[in-house]
Amino acid sequence: MKQKRLEQQTLIVSILINISLGVSAFGVYAQTEIPAVFLDAYFSLIAAISSIVAILISRYSVRSSEVYPYGRFVLEPLYAVFKSLVTISLLLIALSQSVAILYTYWRTGDVDKLNVTPVIPYIMLMIVLSFGLSIFARYQNRKMGGASTILAADSRTAFVDGLMAIGVAVGVGLFLLVNEQGPLSFVLYIGDAIISLILVMFAWRTPVSLLKNSFIELSSGITPRMQWREQIQPVIEQNLPDNCFLTTCQIRKIGMFIHISVMLDFTESVVSIAALRTSKHNIEQLLSINYPHYQLDFIVSGD
């Protein structure tokens, strides 16, 4: 339960940060009426609400029943799918807004000059808190051996938020440096749209990668992470009986739950079932140190 406690503590920090960013963004939007700031406020509050849901999932997913003897860990990759889709929708909205501003400026030139002065402290706050949350969530997840799908989702989402904030900060910096009568005066009107467009092109890989990994977990696919095999397979091989050897080790991850399927073969025709049971028990004792939620299956080759 130590892993779940770390996960829930991190989510509480995420809630506090996103509420702070949301309230700050609404205050800035009231002064500037910049649509992008309203969008930031909206998604910060969604992130805070989703983190509250994530805490409930974190507490509920470990509960077992007759129908779910190993728990309801499938809820965790479902949450990651939701977070990745929300992030992708944020990027798509930012993309459509940027394209609309650029098109309007190109067609009519009727684009309002940006009022960026109230945005500066908010953007600085957003950069610090977003990257701070991303680093903190990743650090907490590493303490759990990278087992938390929920914290992986929150870390990547916060990282994208920080990237978008840096883009706005660059746009604000250009705004303050550009002369309204100079050749770069267009930056005063569409600078943020250009920066947002560039950032979307780089940031889309993060939520798409998260979405892909979450679907692998939901479909019980073999995890692509080599670190799991490198950590788990040696423990199994070193504790098998002398006349037994491992032919295949398949690891499936669903949230914090790990399903390990081990295919075994033997050097002798007669095998001691008692030795296999003892070996399995010893392996389970060792695995439980770092992986509290798992299932280990020994599969005997039929050849």
Side-chain angles (χ1 to χ4, degrees), residues 163-191:
L163 275 182
M164 299 303 289
I166 284 181
V168 175
V170 171
V172 170
L174 291 174
F175 181 94
L176 296 175
L177 293 174
V178 168
N179 186 339
E180 190 168 0
Q181 306 302 323
L184 298 178
S185 60
F186 65 90
V187 171
L188 303 176
Y189 301 90
I190 61 171

Side-chain angles (χ1 to χ4, degrees), residues 3-280:
Q3 288 186 338
K4 283 298 180 182
R5 188 162 57 250
L6 281 173
E7 185 177 66
Q8 291 160 20
Q9 289 171 351
T10 307
L11 289 170
I12 290 173
V13 173
S14 175
I15 292 169
L16 295 175
I17 287 177
N18 281 300
I19 289 176
S20 300
L21 289 174
V23 171
S24 301
F26 276 121
V28 173
Y29 176 73
Q31 300 176 62
T32 63
E33 296 188 354
I34 298 176
V37 176
F38 178 80
L39 187 65
D40 283 341
Y42 176 72
F43 277 98
S44 292
L45 293 183
I46 287 181
I49 294 170
S50 66
S51 291
I52 294 174
V53 174
I55 290 178
L56 298 176
I57 290 174
S58 179
R59 291 176 177 174
Y60 185 72
S61 63
V62 295
R63 297 181 183 177
S64 59
S65 66
E66 291 184 5
V67 179
Y68 301 99
Y70 297 103
R72 300 167 173 86
F73 290 96
V74 70
L75 295 173
E76 297 176 9
L78 276 176
Y79 169 82
V81 168
F82 168 76
K83 288 285 285 189
S84 59
L85 290 176
V86 168
T87 305
I88 290 171
S89 65
L90 169 64
L91 294 176
L92 289 176
I93 292 172
L95 176 65
S96 62
Q97 284 187 337
S98 299
V99 170
I101 291 172
L102 293 173
Y103 179 76
T104 302
Y105 184 81
W106 175 65
R107 291 283 294 178
T108 66
D110 186 20
V111 175
D112 294 333
K113 185 178 178 181
L114 299 173
N115 175 22
V116 300
T117 303
V119 177
I120 296 173
Y122 164 70
I123 290 300
M124 295 299 104
L125 178 67
M126 187 173 181
I127 290 174
V128 172
L129 292 184
S130 293
F131 281 118
L133 176 58
S134 178
I135 293 169
F136 178 63
R138 185 176 300 178
Y139 171 74
Q140 293 288 82
N141 198 16
R142 283 181 178 175
K143 287 169 68 175
M144 294 182 272
S148 175
T149 301
I150 290 176
L151 292 190
D154 275 19
S155 175
R156 295 188 184 193
T157 301
F159 179 75
V160 172
D161 289 342
L163 275 182
M164 299 303 289
I166 284 181
V168 175
V170 171
V172 170
L174 291 174
F175 181 94
L176 296 175
L177 293 174
V178 168
N179 186 339
E180 190 168 0
Q181 306 302 323
L184 298 178
S185 60
F186 65 90
V187 171
L188 303 176
Y189 301 90
I190 61 171
D192 64 329
I194 295 173
I195 297 294
S196 295
L197 200 61
I198 295 171
L199 283 174
V200 167
M201 295 171 62
F202 286 99
W204 68 270
R205 295 178 183 272
T206 298
V208 169
S209 174
L210 175 62
L211 186 62
K212 175 186 174 183
N213 290 334
S214 300
F215 273 120
I216 290 175
E217 292 190 21
L218 283 171
S219 59
S220 295
I222 297 173
T223 179
R225 297 181 182 179
M226 289 302 297
Q227 71 181 64
W228 296 100
R229 182 181 297 276
E230 292 170 355
Q231 293 169 358
I232 293 173
Q233 186 166 324
V235 174
I236 297 172
E237 290 176 328
Q238 292 165 14
N239 290 277
L240 290 173
D242 292 337
N243 64 341
C244 176
F245 62 93
L246 181 152
T247 59
T248 305
C249 179
Q250 295 181 344
I251 301 172
R252 296 171 174 84
K253 178 179 177 296
I254 305 173
M256 277 195 180
F257 180 75
I258 299 173
H259 183 194
I260 308 163
S261 301
V262 179
M263 182 71 74
L264 301 176
D265 209 339
F266 306 92
T267 57
E268 300 175 6
S269 57
V270 179
V271 180
S272 170
I273 300 299
L276 280 176
R277 286 176 178 167
T278 301
S279 173
K280 187 171 184 289

